[in-house]
Amino acid sequence: IGVRSRQVHVEFELPEPEPPRALLEAAHYFCEEDDTPKEVSRRFGVPVAAVLALNASRLEGLVSTSRLRRRTILALPLVHAVAENETPRAAAAALGLECDSLVAANGALDAELGPLGPATRLPADTQLLLPAGAPPPQYSARPMPLLASRVELAGWCAGEGWRVAEVRRLLGGARFVAVAAEEAKEEELRLRDEGKTWRWPDGARPRGGGERARSGGE
């Protein structure tokens, strides 16, 4: 008795590769459909040149106006926000970095503030880019949320639950700005108020704790 075989075609999608752990532990942003590096840079107040440099080896042909697919991961620079009149020399000392490396990493500031040197007095809340390989900043042994990271904000009224928010900008004095999902209002928060006005999502608090405390901080 002849047996007729039947072929069945099954369509499936290959799973997306897991992002490198090192990328997910650094500052990064999950793009929406048609986001561009220029728009993302403006969203977080960092130079587009820094974003392009961080992602050039992983996203071939990336330019400032490239339209990216949803869930594309863009690495973002680590930053330190200065206090009023803080200098790169003082910032480097507080962060445990070489001053020359910190100055070299911030050539993009020259056009706005003039030539940047170790003794340049910077306006409050200027975001200095940290050099490659530098650890995320910590103030009074507390880790600072990274740009584009998620935190939870206390409700507006007593009894309201916590709201998921995105960190948009770092400020001097160990402060940062976050925007809750589906809300346009920016909220300014202090690092020292962790557990009161804001908190880390479950399991999201960075491990480790440095002992560096910056001048002009908390």
Side-chain angles (χ1 to χ4, degrees), residues 32-48:
E32 297 295 338
E33 191 70 21
D34 288 334
D35 271 347
T36 68
K38 185 176 182 179
E39 292 167 346
V40 173
S41 299
R42 185 181 300 118
R43 181 186 185 100
F44 298 106
V46 295
V48 66

Side-chain angles (χ1 to χ4, degrees), residues 113-135:
L113 304 173
L116 187 68
T120 302
R121 295 184 180 276
L122 297 169
D125 304 331
T126 299
Q127 292 190 141
L128 287 177
L129 307 182
L130 302 193

Side-chain angles (χ1 to χ4, degrees), residues 31-71:
C31 294
E32 297 295 338
E33 191 70 21
D34 288 334
D35 271 347
T36 68
K38 185 176 182 179
E39 292 167 346
V40 173
S41 299
R42 185 181 300 118
R43 181 186 185 100
F44 298 106
V46 295
V48 66
V51 173
L52 294 177
L54 280 173
N55 294 278
S57 61
R58 193 171 50 84
L59 301 175
E60 186 176 353
L62 187 70
V63 297
S64 64
T65 54
S66 296
R67 294 193 176 277
L68 303 170
R69 300 299 303 272
R70 185 176 181 274
R71 302 294 291 177

